[in-house]
Amino acid sequence: PGPRTANRGNSLWGYRGFGRQASPARRTVEKAYVVSLIRLGSQFFVLSIVTSAALYSDNLIIAHALCLRQVTECLVPAKLFMALGLIVTLVGLPLWPANGEALARGDLEWVRKTTNRMTVISGVTILVASAGLILGGGRFLSVWLHGAIQAPLPLLVGLGFWWLFLATSSPRFKVQNAAGI
């Protein structure tokens, strides 16, 4: 309730008070732009739902295929490796609008060069970080959780490869997203 109330108050203050001269008039709103924004927003909504389902369905699959104890044994190391996802996101997020602008200008060479460079940078960064987690993650979890969970090496290696794949494919996804594909 707090953030929602603050957002509403900010909007009222901005569009009815201080920023009234900047607020859009109904007669200036073009239907084509509204439809375009709704279409784009709908794509983001669907992408968010699909991404959430893909990221969080593994717990259900593990629980169904194995048992609830193994969900914890897989989930805790997976959460440790999710920190790598933050790195991929933070590094790659600015590429989306930058690629969109470059594509709009027709600067395909910049998009190719930057995408290849970011693929290498992201891949090397995640490779080094995941190697550290593979080599020391099991011991870290064992000490941190007092031996309650043992992270098997094949699981850690698999998680490392998964995040390496995402890191090296993410720059290309940013190009596709910027192109509206």
Side-chain angles (χ1 to χ4, degrees):
R4 205 173 320 145
T5 303
N7 264 343
R8 286 184 183 137
N10 188 35
S11 293
L12 285 173
W13 181 74
Y15 288 118
R16 300 232 190 268
F18 175 74
R20 187 174 191 102
Q21 63 273 19
S23 65
R26 289 193 189 270
R27 68 182 184 285
T28 62
V29 176
E30 294 183 30
K31 185 179 178 183
Y33 288 124
V34 172
V35 170
S36 174
L37 286 173
I38 289 172
R39 185 177 300 124
L40 182 62
S42 299
Q43 289 174 346
F44 276 108
F45 177 72
V46 170
L47 183 62
S48 296
I49 297 296
V50 170
T51 301
S52 295
L55 288 176
Y56 298 107
S57 62
D58 54 350
N59 300 339
L60 297 173
I61 294 168
I62 294 168
H64 182 73
L66 302 172
C67 70
L68 289 177
R69 168 116 177 104
Q70 289 175 316
V71 170
T72 304
E73 290 175 358
C74 292
L75 182 64
V76 172
K79 291 293 182 185
L80 184 63
F81 274 80
M82 284 186 102
L84 301 179
L86 292 174
I87 295 170
V88 172
T89 301
L90 288 173
V91 169
L93 200 56
L95 284 180
W96 193 337
N99 285 330
E101 183 181 335
L103 289 171
R105 285 193 324 262
D107 193 355
L108 297 179
E109 183 59 31
W110 183 89
V111 172
R112 279 189 199 101
K113 189 167 67 171
T114 303
T115 301
N116 289 334
R117 183 180 303 139
M118 289 309 296
T119 300
V120 171
I121 291 170
S122 295
V124 168
T125 302
I126 297 305
L127 183 64
V128 169
S130 63
L133 288 175
I134 290 167
L135 296 174
R139 282 190 297 273
F140 171 75
L141 288 173
S142 182
V143 169
W144 185 35
L145 301 172
H146 306 291
I149 294 177
Q150 300 299 321
L153 185 61
L155 175 63
L156 297 177
V157 171
L159 288 168
F161 275 116
W162 172 250
W163 285 105
L164 180 62
F165 167 74
L166 288 179
T168 55
S169 58
S170 179
R172 282 157 175 71
F173 292 152
K174 300 296 188 269
V175 173
Q176 289 179 325
N177 290 338
I181 299 173

